[in-house]
Amino acid sequence: MTLLDQRVLPLSESYRQYHDAPGVADAIRQMVVRGAPAIGITAAYGVVLAARQHFANTSKTWRESLAADIKLLAQSRPTAVNLFWALERMQRVLNENTDTSVLDALLHEALAIHDEDIAANFSMGEYGAGLISGQGSVLTHCNTGSLATGGYGTALGVIRSAYRQEKITEVFADETRPWLQGARLTAWELVKDKIPVRLLAEGAAASLMRSERPGWVIVGADRIAANGDVANKIGTYSLAVLARQHGVNFMVVAPTSTVDMSIASGEDIPIEYRDEQELLQLGGNRIAAEGAHAWNPVFDVTPAGLIDAIVTERGVILQPDNDRLLKHFSE
Amino acid sequence: MTLLDQRVLPLSESYRQYHDAPGVADAIRQMVVRGAPAIGITAAYGVVLAARQHFANTSKTWRESLAADIKLLAQSRPTAVNLFWALERMQRVLNENTDTSVLDALLHEALAIHDEDIAANFSMGEYGAGLISGQGSVLTHCNTGSLATGGYGTALGVIRSAYRQEKITEVFADETRPWLQGARLTAWELVKDKIPVRLLAEGAAASLMRSERPGWVIVGADRIAANGDVANKIGTYSLAVLARQHGVNFMVVAPTSTVDMSIASGEDIPIEYRDEQELLQLGGNRIAAEGAHAWNPVFDVTPAGLIDAIVTERGVILQPDNDRLLKHFSE
């Protein structure tokens, strides 16, 4: 499997080859690939790689070796539920196919996960753009575009669709510390699409809302609880509080594979804390004084009450809560 | 005049020499020195340098040359009022001394501005620490310590005093994009003082308030309007909104030289926008895609209504407003 190394974009477009599940798990952990849907798709292909490898090497015990690899993939990152959702789909195919056709079935399932994600993004693009009236700027956070998904994007997909419909004049993008996904990835995608983009420091978002009056904050999600609470890139919760304070609408865009109905509220979503070096270093050099430490949660939880709309490939959930999410899934 | 180059701290402790006002103005503009009180003190010494130089070179027209240099110093940065306040004090001494003793008088005034600032910081440290009850963590933003002032610090002075009184267990410090004053300067000062410090991305502040429950947000100021609105480093306004939302107290610490009673409200405070390269580049390398732009205001305005206390060297103004600021100055 070939992955574009997102850690070095846009300075270099470097592709890396992966031949087994431990390598793929490491690529996810090290953020060669990131973005909830993209992680799920990558893990699915990782299962295909692992199944082929173990089947060829140890055709008797290959299912046991594969089970260990699936466990390894599941341990790569904790917050985005798309990872577990994709692995469960692959596991189901594994369980249902007991003859040698299983390898083909696994590849078919991984491709389906990938294709369905792209289709979901186009649907969400339309639904989300439909929520935007008039013309104005929007603010987004992190990267939710082609790089974070199977293609097109979740929040960035809505932005692409709404820009084509001439509802968006300009995109403001948080640079998104500490990994700078906004500066490195979102700006890169938008420039390629010739959509005007201005970056800002997260600390400037409140001033932006006051002076530039964006119509919407549009973000993705890594996991949505049954009550509509949303875990997403650190900084999202802050934007939601500020948006409410400034009368700016707040839209979350995520496929249903991001919704975890087994989790009652955001409080139970596991939040990943990453190495403090992500804040203490800059470009490989120590930037903070020796002896200083860092607090580095990389996701936060936005309460449903601060969200005006959740957009999935099935449609729009306005003022999300438990009942509305249940209804969304039963329709 | 010798200045410690704050742009390369803490990686290197590099001192630069300045011999005239254009050089000093450039050092302020380029942020070799920053922090509202430190800018004022530096500008005052810059006037001393310029006066000596012009007096020696062109003893007949030296006052005209000096006037041009003072204008240059005043144009170095727009937001921190301490700069204009210090230059006005120097101008007054210039006007009042018509004989050759003026050079001594100018040096005396610059030293007084410097000494008074240090004394003010120690007073504010006591007053501010007096507001903190119990024991807990606090959150600060940017750098407001010895590097930003004549010595000791404004918000960081309060933190130093309160830590010595065992009211503070740990300091959380925003890294403060784009210049990373928190990561580079505040952490450096706190580590030197053996005060425990953890850095966080600005986007994590809302989560920090929810999960770590700091007792206070403590920040400095670059200009305070007559109604108590506070201009300070970009990101401060966001912290104030989030603090109010989470029941965290919000304290602004600044000497009276930062208060500009000639400005009715924060709306009239000039906000500096700096070069977009500060966000588009990282360590001298372009980080954002070519074609992307940036929105880079480096200060914001926090409305007085979100501030629980303003601390000056004269004491504490609780729930600041027009009347309370007037009263503070008339006592």
Side-chain angles (χ1 to χ4, degrees):
Chain A
M1 172 171 26
T2 304
L3 291 174
L4 174 58
D5 190 345
Q6 300 194 23
R7 299 168 305 176
V8 294
L9 282 175
L11 290 182
S12 80
E13 295 186 27
S14 159
Y15 290 86
R16 290 173 163 257
Q17 296 292 331
Y18 296 91
H19 307 286
D20 55 19
V24 173
D26 205 50
I28 295 173
R29 189 176 301 111
Q30 304 294 334
M31 296 175 66
V32 172
V33 61
R34 28 63 53 201
I39 288 172
I41 295 162
T42 303
Y45 285 125
V47 173
V48 175
L49 271 187
R52 285 180 183 169
Q53 181 196 18
H54 294 307
F55 190 83
N57 292 349
T58 60
S59 59
K60 281 200 177 142
T61 57
W62 74 275
R63 279 180 179 264
E64 287 159 40
S65 304
L66 181 56
D69 270 358
I70 291 176
K71 202 170 165 189
L72 202 63
L73 287 165
Q75 288 165 344
S76 57
R77 294 192 72 189
T79 303
V81 78
N82 311 62
L83 171 66
F84 312 109
W85 168 89
L87 291 176
E88 274 164 30
R89 276 182 66 161
M90 299 303 282
Q91 185 65 54
R92 210 173 306 136
V93 170
L94 255 178
N95 297 347
E96 286 167 1
N97 291 273
T98 49
D99 58 16
T100 54
S101 71
V102 64
L103 293 185
D104 285 344
L106 286 171
L107 177 60
H108 185 265
E109 189 69 4
L111 290 168
I113 288 171
H114 191 168
D115 288 346
E116 289 166 25
D117 187 64
I118 297 172
N121 288 341
F122 282 111
S123 291
M124 292 188 285
E126 288 303 306
Y127 284 123
L131 288 172
I132 301 174
S133 57
Q135 254 200 344
S137 65
V138 297
L139 171 60
T140 190
H141 189 65
C142 199
N143 171 266
T144 58
S146 298
L147 292 166
T149 64
Y152 200 65
T154 54
L156 216 58
V158 169
I159 287 169
R160 288 184 155 117
S161 295
Y163 183 78
R164 258 184 230 128
Q165 296 174 19
E166 299 184 356
K167 290 173 165 181
I168 290 178
T169 52
E170 180 177 25
V171 179
F172 288 102
D174 275 348
E175 58 171 3
T176 319
R177 287 285 297 157
W179 277 77
L180 296 165
Q181 290 94 334
R184 295 191 302 104
L185 309 179
T186 298
W188 187 66
E189 289 201 39
L190 289 173
V191 167
K192 283 200 172 192
D193 273 15
K194 298 190 169 46
I195 299 176
V197 54
R198 272 196 280 176
L199 292 161
L200 61 146
E202 268 88 299
S207 283
L208 183 91
M209 292 183 196
R210 188 157 58 183
S211 70
E212 306 295 312
R213 303 223 149 270
W216 286 84
V217 173
I218 309 179
V219 298
D222 288 83
R223 194 183 302 214
I224 300 177
N227 70 342
D229 289 353
V230 168
N232 191 44
K233 176 57 52 202
I234 190 76
T236 303
Y237 168 46
S238 170
L239 290 179
V241 171
L242 298 170
R244 181 58 53 92
Q245 174 83 3
H246 292 86
V248 176
N249 299 301
F250 194 87
M251 186 193 307
V252 174
V253 187
T256 49
S257 56
T258 303
V259 181
D260 183 355
M261 294 299 278
S262 78
I263 277 196
S265 82
E267 279 178 38
D268 300 321
I269 299 177
I271 297 296
E272 178 181 8
Y273 287 72
R274 290 183 68 89
D275 194 317
E276 61 180 5
Q277 297 306 326
E278 293 183 356
L279 285 161
L280 301 176
Q281 295 188 348
L282 201 68
N285 294 316
R286 178 92 185 186
I287 184 98
E290 291 294 339
H293 291 279
W295 190 73
N296 189 25
V298 296
F299 300 98
D300 60 25
V301 173
T302 299
L306 293 174
I307 298 166
D308 294 297
I310 293 176
V311 176
T312 82
E313 74 279 15
R314 292 178 174 224
V316 173
I317 312 166
L318 295 174
Q319 279 78 53
D321 62 15
N322 238 304
D323 291 347
R324 294 199 173 105
L325 258 80
L326 272 176
K327 189 159 171 284
H328 188 73
F329 279 97
S330 66
E331 270 166 357
Chain B
M1 171 170 27
T2 304
L3 291 174
L4 173 58
D5 190 344
Q6 300 194 23
R7 300 170 305 177
V8 294
L9 282 174
L11 290 182
S12 80
E13 295 186 26
S14 159
Y15 290 87
R16 291 174 161 256
Q17 295 292 330
Y18 296 91
H19 307 286
D20 54 21
V24 173
D26 205 52
I28 294 173
R29 189 177 302 110
Q30 304 293 335
M31 295 176 68
V32 172
V33 61
R34 27 63 55 200
I39 288 172
I41 294 162
T42 303
Y45 285 124
V47 173
V48 175
L49 271 187
R52 284 180 183 170
Q53 181 196 18
H54 295 306
F55 190 84
N57 293 349
T58 60
S59 58
K60 281 200 178 140
T61 58
W62 75 274
R63 279 180 180 263
E64 287 159 39
S65 304
L66 180 57
D69 271 357
I70 291 176
K71 202 171 166 190
L72 201 65
L73 287 165
Q75 287 165 344
S76 59
R77 293 193 71 188
T79 303
V81 77
N82 311 61
L83 172 65
F84 312 109
W85 168 87
L87 291 176
E88 275 164 28
R89 275 183 65 162
M90 299 303 282
Q91 186 64 55
R92 209 174 307 135
V93 169
L94 255 178
N95 299 346
E96 286 166 1
N97 291 271
T98 48
D99 58 16
T100 54
S101 71
V102 64
L103 292 185
D104 284 344
L106 285 171
L107 176 61
H108 184 264
E109 187 71 2
L111 289 168
I113 288 172
H114 192 167
D115 287 346
E116 288 166 25
D117 188 64
I118 297 172
N121 287 341
F122 282 111
S123 289
M124 291 189 285
E126 288 302 306
Y127 283 124
L131 287 171
I132 301 173
S133 56
Q135 253 200 345
S137 64
V138 297
L139 171 59
T140 191
H141 189 64
C142 197
N143 171 266
T144 58
S146 298
L147 292 166
T149 63
Y152 200 63
T154 55
L156 216 58
V158 169
I159 287 169
R160 287 184 156 118
S161 296
Y163 183 77
R164 260 186 227 122
Q165 296 174 18
E166 298 183 357
K167 290 172 165 182
I168 290 178
T169 52
E170 180 178 23
V171 178
F172 289 103
D174 276 347
E175 58 171 4
T176 319
R177 286 285 296 158
W179 276 77
L180 296 165
Q181 291 93 335
R184 295 190 302 104
L185 309 179
T186 297
W188 187 66
E189 288 201 39
L190 289 172
V191 166
K192 283 199 172 191
D193 273 16
K194 297 190 169 49
I195 299 176
V197 55
R198 272 195 281 176
L199 292 161
L200 61 146
E202 269 87 300
S207 283
L208 183 92
M209 291 184 198
R210 188 157 57 183
S211 70
E212 305 295 314
R213 304 222 148 271
W216 287 85
V217 173
I218 309 180
V219 298
D222 288 84
R223 195 184 302 215
I224 301 177
N227 70 342
D229 289 353
V230 168
N232 191 44
K233 178 56 52 203
I234 190 75
T236 304
Y237 169 45
S238 171
L239 290 179
V241 171
L242 298 170
R244 180 59 52 94
Q245 173 83 2
H246 292 87
V248 177
N249 299 302
F250 194 87
M251 186 194 306
V252 174
V253 187
T256 50
S257 56
T258 303
V259 180
D260 183 355
M261 294 299 278
S262 78
I263 278 195
S265 83
E267 279 177 37
D268 301 322
I269 299 176
I271 296 296
E272 177 182 9
Y273 286 73
R274 290 183 68 89
D275 195 317
E276 62 181 3
Q277 297 306 326
E278 293 184 356
L279 284 161
L280 300 176
Q281 295 187 349
L282 201 68
N285 294 316
R286 179 90 185 188
I287 184 99
E290 292 294 340
H293 291 279
W295 189 74
N296 189 26
V298 297
F299 299 97
D300 60 23
V301 172
T302 299
L306 293 174
I307 298 166
D308 294 296
I310 293 176
V311 175
T312 81
E313 74 278 16
R314 291 179 175 223
V316 173
I317 311 166
L318 294 173
Q319 279 80 53
D321 63 15
N322 238 305
D323 290 346
R324 294 201 175 104
L325 258 79
L326 272 176
K327 189 158 171 283
H328 188 74
F329 279 96
S330 66
E331 270 167 357

